[in-house]
Amino acid sequence: MSGAYSDLSITPPADSEQTESQQKKQASSAADVSQSITTQGQDGSPAGGTFGARMLSSDRNVFEHNAWDHVEPDSEHYEYAEQQIRMHREHPVPEAERELYNAKPASFWDSFYANNQNKFFKDRHWLRVEFSELFTWTDDRISANENSDSSKDRSSTEPASAAKNGTASALGVSNVPLDSKFRIMEVGCGAGNAVFPMLADIRDPRLFVYACDYSKTAIDVVKANEAYDTSRCKAFVWDLSSTDIPEDVEPESVDIMLMIFVFSALHPDQWSQAVDNAYRVLKPGGILLFRDYGRNDLTQLRFKKSRLLDSNFYIRGDGTRVYFFTNEELGDIFGKKFIIEQNAIDRRLLVNRKRELKMYRVWLQAKFRKPVIATDRDQISA
């Protein structure tokens, strides 16, 4: 699976049949309805303190900044969302066309990457903030904002202090022996917008990154990147919903698995197999870091007629598929095998200050840990 339209360097393309007036109307009225999801994390605390702290205290201030965090849509937005979802249900993808999009979904991502290469998505430097587990297992790393020249005197072969002592992060990542590898596997790596920032930021020689995608074209883009280093990274084609785990990855060998806007590209019938595969490759105690679309994100509400494949499952204008989740669904999907450490909602109100337009976004962020021993499954939360 490839990354979806979230970390964008350009605006997602609107469907060609959609008029400018329709786009303006939808952008100004769109809402991220979350009637079945809450603004709390799995433990009842506010969802994701690191999601951002620019809070909107008064509607009078809404156009003072370009974005606000944790903003609940008003009744007008909820009404608009209900109207849009009703329209989608009344005008789904014609039955005769559905098999076209479900038969070979990777082919549409091949076309996407053939057209866009690595120019479409932004590099995901925000991973350091939202998913610190990727970095806190070692302190042999640099900031993406740090001048590369100033870090040349740092050894790229000697682990830093925490690594020397074999200590682990307080966040629960297992100890990493000096003579072993710390393996991170990104599923749906796309053009490498998460992989290459990680490789640049983490200098610890124990790091090894698996980068896989079911688009061969995406993997070709990764391998063509001048930063691709086979001593630290291996890119290969693999479908998360395959009945077999990758031949390049040993069972129970991965410390962290990363799924960023990837699971939504799967058909619901494939979810169970995908979860089984993630469970098989992760080490006991390993963690799956997850971020994807929430219901009903602006992206969902902006779909026009003949885009609904199945309930909350759509095709974009380029043929790629996307599903919009609730927290409850994620709990049901992953909670049968994993311990749920986080299952949160990230709300953002994006503002076009010049045109005074409000656009609501909603994403789900979660952390699922594989039990260390079988009895740990008693801790799993549904």
Side-chain angles (χ1 to χ4, degrees), residues 66-79:
N66 294 327
W68 300 92
D69 299 298
H70 310 304
V71 178
E72 179 71 26
D74 59 22
S75 58
E76 179 182 350
H77 290 118
Y78 282 114
E79 291 171 4

Side-chain angles (χ1 to χ4, degrees), residues 128 132 134-144 146 151 154-155 160 198 200-204:
R128 279 189 306 281
S132 59
L134 292 166
F135 305 91
T136 50
W137 60 275
T138 174
D139 63 4
D140 193 6
R141 52 198 167 92
I142 61 173
S143 167
E146 187 176 335
S151 63
R154 297 190 60 186
S155 170
M198 278 193 294
D201 194 62
I202 303 173
R203 302 169 63 92
D204 195 314

Side-chain angles (χ1 to χ4, degrees), residues 74-223:
D74 59 22
S75 58
E76 179 182 350
H77 290 118
Y78 282 114
E79 291 171 4
Y80 171 75
E82 291 177 359
Q83 170 189 321
Q84 289 300 102
I85 298 304
R86 186 182 310 114
M87 181 270 289
H88 297 161
R89 291 171 178 166
E90 292 173 352
H91 302 279
V93 175
E95 186 70 33
E97 299 178 15
R98 294 184 186 182
E99 185 58 28
L100 169 67
Y101 301 105
N102 289 325
K104 296 182 179 180
S107 65
F108 294 101
W109 283 109
D110 282 337
S111 297
F112 173 86
Y113 284 106
N115 292 329
N116 295 286
Q117 297 292 301
N118 61 351
K119 307 299 183 184
F120 197 81
F121 299 108
K122 294 179 181 179
D123 282 347
R124 291 166 172 166
H125 296 293
W126 54 265
L127 291 174
R128 279 189 306 281
V129 177
E130 303 296 352
F131 295 133
S132 59
E133 293 91 341
L134 292 166
F135 305 91
T136 50
W137 60 275
T138 174
D139 63 4
D140 193 6
R141 52 198 167 92
I142 61 173
S143 167
N145 298 320
E146 187 176 335
N147 186 292
S148 58
D149 291 337
S150 66
S151 63
K152 287 182 179 178
D153 59 340
R154 297 190 60 186
S155 170
S156 61
T157 59
E158 184 179 5
S161 57
K164 288 179 182 179
N165 295 327
T167 58
S169 162
L171 297 176
V173 176
S174 301
N175 292 346
V176 187
L178 295 178
D179 58 350
S180 68
K181 291 292 184 181
F182 188 88
R183 295 180 175 87
I184 297 174
M185 179 177 179
E186 185 183 12
V187 180
C189 65
N193 298 97
V195 168
F196 292 120
M198 278 193 294
L199 290 172
D201 194 62
I202 303 173
R203 302 169 63 92
D204 195 314
R206 294 171 299 174
L207 173 67
F208 194 86
V209 178
Y210 295 114
C212 60
D213 200 289
Y214 70 177
S215 167
K216 180 182 183 301
T217 307
I219 296 302
D220 290 341
V221 172
V222 171
K223 290 182 175 181

Side-chain angles (χ1 to χ4, degrees), residues 24 54 180 204 321 377:
K24 289 180 179 178
R54 177 169 286 168
S180 68
D204 195 314
R321 307 180 304 185
R377 298 196 68 241

